[in-house]
Amino acid sequence: MHWLSENYKWLFDGIGGLALMAVIGYFTRRVLKRSPDHQKDIVSLNAQGSKVINSPVASGSNISQNINSPTLNLSLPAKTPTTGEDQSNWPDVILECQWPSLVHESRIPGSHIVRRRPWMLRYRGPGSVYNGCVHRIDFGEYEALFPRRVPTLTDTASVHPIICHKSDGLVITAHDLESLIHNPPSGCDVHQYAVETEGNEDQEVPLKAFVLEVEIPVTISYEDKNGNQFKIRYLLHYDTYMEKGEMIRIGRIEKIAPI
């Protein structure tokens, strides 16, 4: 300390001051300088049997690590639902309406005829289909029912609609489906199926009470041998003047999902 007090002016003056600054600068660079290997060691962390939170890197065994990272919300295109089932193997049932025109048939004026002309279910595939039926048709206070199911259909089968009261299920023997369209009783809504024809707007006599043509939705259903249920939609097109009916298929085979 005595030497330092005697020579402090020499240390901070002239050559001594420069030498001292050089020494300080050397050690400062050594402290601040980092080698690549040392920097690499800074981002590595070893933990044995420890819990590490918010560490980007941890190595070792028997450790528990929690890392908080930013949340990214990505919008991905929706996947189109597909079915791997081969629809070409689905059984196909044809509904036919064999109602040729009877416009020239003799009858008593003002009367209606109950013919009970049948419809036909037809299957041309291998094996059989089961429990084939035609679904009920709504006519307001009335309905057309097909009470007979076809338990096993291997070729063709006839089905006959019957007319009933909705309220009590009473069968109306005085009408079949055709006569119901031609001469609907009170409460029977046939107009919901009426087809609008061109030129009716200019008629002097309103034809609202008289239905010229109807298109009635009809659905059939059936099962294959494995119990899978299917349905097909049709339209019954009926010309009241020609008294002719034909069935028009309006949909593909649909597989009914089990309940």
Side-chain angles (χ1 to χ4, degrees), residues 79-83:
K79 184 178 180 181
T80 303
T82 57
T83 57

Side-chain angles (χ1 to χ4, degrees), residues 182-211:
H182 278 280
N183 301 285
S186 177
C188 179
D189 185 7
V190 177
H191 288 87
Q192 61 179 314
Y193 305 122
V195 176
E196 294 185 2
T197 56
E198 297 180 0
N200 285 353
E201 297 83 358
D202 299 331
Q203 296 288 340
E204 294 182 0
V205 179
L207 297 178
K208 183 177 180 180
F210 184 75
V211 178

Side-chain angles (χ1 to χ4, degrees), residues 62-227:
N62 193 26
I63 67 172
S64 174
Q65 180 179 8
N66 296 327
I67 299 177
N68 293 330
S69 59
T71 301
L72 299 179
N73 295 322
L74 300 178
S75 297
L76 300 177
K79 184 178 180 181
T80 303
T82 57
T83 57
E85 189 172 359
D86 184 7
Q87 298 184 13
S88 63
N89 294 326
W90 289 358
D92 190 4
V93 175
I94 308 300
L95 177 62
E96 298 178 355
C97 176
Q98 300 175 351
W99 290 357
S101 175
L102 297 175
V103 66
H104 299 298
E105 182 183 48
S106 60
R107 71 193 65 189
I108 301 174
S111 64
H112 69 265
I113 301 175
V114 178
R115 302 186 183 93
R116 306 191 190 281
R117 291 197 282 182
W119 291 355
M120 188 75 67
L121 290 172
R122 189 181 302 275
Y123 176 62
R124 294 302 190 196
S128 305
V129 293
Y130 306 92
N131 295 321
C133 70
V134 182
H135 294 201
R136 65 181 61 197
I137 304 172
D138 176 71
F139 287 98
E141 296 180 11
Y142 295 80
E143 60 185 356
L145 299 179
F146 296 80
R148 177 178 174 267
R149 286 178 174 265
V150 181
T152 302
L153 180 63
T154 56
D155 186 10
T156 59
S158 298
V159 290
H160 294 78
I162 61 174
I163 308 302
C164 299
H165 272 297
K166 275 186 181 179
S167 59
D168 53 13
L170 179 65
V171 177
I172 310 301
T173 58
H175 279 288
D176 64 357
L177 186 55
E178 284 185 88
S179 67
L180 195 74
I181 297 172
H182 278 280
N183 301 285
S186 177
C188 179
D189 185 7
V190 177
H191 288 87
Q192 61 179 314
Y193 305 122
V195 176
E196 294 185 2
T197 56
E198 297 180 0
N200 285 353
E201 297 83 358
D202 299 331
Q203 296 288 340
E204 294 182 0
V205 179
L207 297 178
K208 183 177 180 180
F210 184 75
V211 178
L212 297 176
E213 294 177 70
V214 294
E215 287 184 345
I216 302 174
V218 180
T219 302
I220 65 171
S221 61
Y222 51 93
E223 301 175 2
D224 65 7
K225 63 181 181 180
N226 298 318

